[in-house]
Amino acid sequence: MEKNKKTPEVLKTALNILYPRRCPVCHRILRDQKNLICPECEGVFQPITEDYCLKCGSPVKPEEEYCRDCAGKRRSFDEGRGIFLYDQKMRRSLIRYKYYGSREYADYYAVSMYRYGRGNILRWKPDVIIPVPLHRRKLRMRGFNQSGLLAEKLGTFLDIPVSEGTLRKIRGTRSQKKLDAAQRRKNLRQAFRAERRLDGLTVLLVDDVYTTGSTVEAAAACLKEAGAKKVCFLTLCMGRM
């Protein structure tokens, strides 16, 4: 099992001087480097705190208990929750985080996931946190796994072990962005492989974005095949196609 890594405070201070922290909303350098977001930008991202699907956590109408994808359907995962709505502001923030080197955003993202998702996580009682992996080719291009960094920070907050190497993406797939739900499911078929048995364990799967749920579905199915008793997921944001 992989151990959580902690950055020494002296190193954090030095990094803040060399690479000052920026706000995940407006991208300006934060006046107080101890903050994770501008006071003026706090509240711009919209947390999903009510009217969400009891199965996957995606937004629903007040009178609905389940979304159209979960109502009366069998899902590979047991339960899930998203933290923020995947709107244009969140999309721009994630693009900077994933593609333009703004990895410090992960601190704000992870704190928010802990703040709003802690109740669910305590109820699920996971034994291990596993991030949704990237294929090795994409990992080389990007330089890091955005979900792995979120999982690492959550593991520190929750004191739950993180195992980034347990689930691997073994097949390169097309970008999911322009595919519909059926195409996404087909695209991810047999894309993941579990590197060890998870017999009887409850897994918390961590990802950055949930839209149709195809990625989480495929990953959860793979973990269940490896013996996981229960697979729940937490994503930074949720949206609809």
Side-chain angles (χ1 to χ4, degrees):
M1 196 73 68
E2 297 172 20
K3 295 182 179 180
N4 298 321
K5 302 172 185 177
K6 295 185 179 180
T7 305
E9 289 302 318
V10 174
L11 179 57
K12 285 183 181 179
T13 301
L15 289 173
N16 284 340
I17 294 172
L18 293 171
Y19 306 101
R21 185 186 300 279
R22 293 176 179 269
C23 172
V25 178
C26 68
H27 197 58
R28 295 190 182 95
I29 293 175
L30 293 167
R31 291 188 294 272
D32 185 347
Q33 286 291 298
K34 293 180 181 179
N35 290 339
L36 302 179
I37 191 171
C38 291
E40 300 85 0
C41 293
E42 187 71 70
V44 168
F45 296 144
Q46 301 179 58
I48 304 169
T49 55
E50 56 184 18
D51 298 333
Y52 55 83
C53 175
L54 298 179
K55 186 70 173 178
C56 74
S58 61
V60 295
K61 296 177 182 177
E63 67 273 15
E64 295 176 332
E65 291 186 338
Y66 298 96
C67 69
R68 64 178 182 272
D69 293 330
C70 293
K73 297 179 183 177
R74 186 179 181 85
R75 307 303 298 261
S76 298
F77 57 82
D78 292 271
E79 194 178 333
R81 176 79 194 278
I83 302 304
F84 293 116
L85 288 174
Y86 188 45
D87 56 14
Q88 286 301 315
K89 293 184 178 67
M90 175 54 74
R91 182 175 178 275
R92 285 195 294 269
S93 181
L94 273 176
I95 287 173
R96 290 193 296 264
Y97 169 59
K98 292 163 70 170
Y99 305 113
Y100 294 98
S102 298
R103 298 187 196 180
E104 74 272 18
Y105 290 5
D107 291 321
Y108 176 77
Y109 294 160
V111 165
S112 299
M113 293 173 82
Y114 176 77
R115 175 185 175 188
Y116 293 107
R118 182 173 178 271
N120 299 80
I121 297 168
L122 291 177
R123 178 165 55 81
W124 297 334
K125 298 178 180 179
D127 299 296
V128 62
I129 299 174
I130 295 178
V132 171
L134 294 176
H135 186 264
R136 63 180 182 276
R137 191 162 52 244
K138 185 173 285 187
L139 184 61
R140 281 198 302 270
M141 292 172 60
R142 191 172 297 173
F144 81 117
N145 178 3
Q146 73 278 357
S147 301
L149 185 53
L150 295 177
E152 177 187 320
K153 292 180 181 297
L154 275 173
T156 300
F157 297 151
L158 295 161
D159 196 25
I160 297 174
V162 178
S163 186
E164 192 163 355
T166 292
L167 186 65
R168 295 195 183 278
K169 193 170 186 183
I170 58 173
R171 186 170 65 81
T173 53
R174 296 163 57 195
S175 172
Q176 296 277 79
K177 294 177 183 178
K178 296 182 179 181
L179 304 181
D180 62 27
Q183 290 171 327
R184 287 182 176 217
R185 286 193 294 270
K186 184 178 180 180
N187 190 41
L188 287 164
R189 197 169 294 153
Q190 296 182 334
F192 297 104
R193 180 177 69 200
E195 296 296 320
R196 68 181 183 90
R197 297 295 301 174
L198 297 164
D199 296 313
L201 297 182
T202 295
V203 175
L204 175 61
L205 192 64
V206 170
D207 205 2
D208 59 336
V209 182
Y210 180 110
T211 50
T212 66
S214 300
T215 299
V216 168
E217 274 278 351
C222 181
L223 295 172
K224 287 284 184 75
E225 289 174 4
K229 177 180 68 175
K230 186 176 179 180
V231 178
C232 298
F233 73 85
L234 191 68
T235 62
L236 174 65
C237 49
M238 303 196 81
R240 283 293 170 201
M241 294 289 289

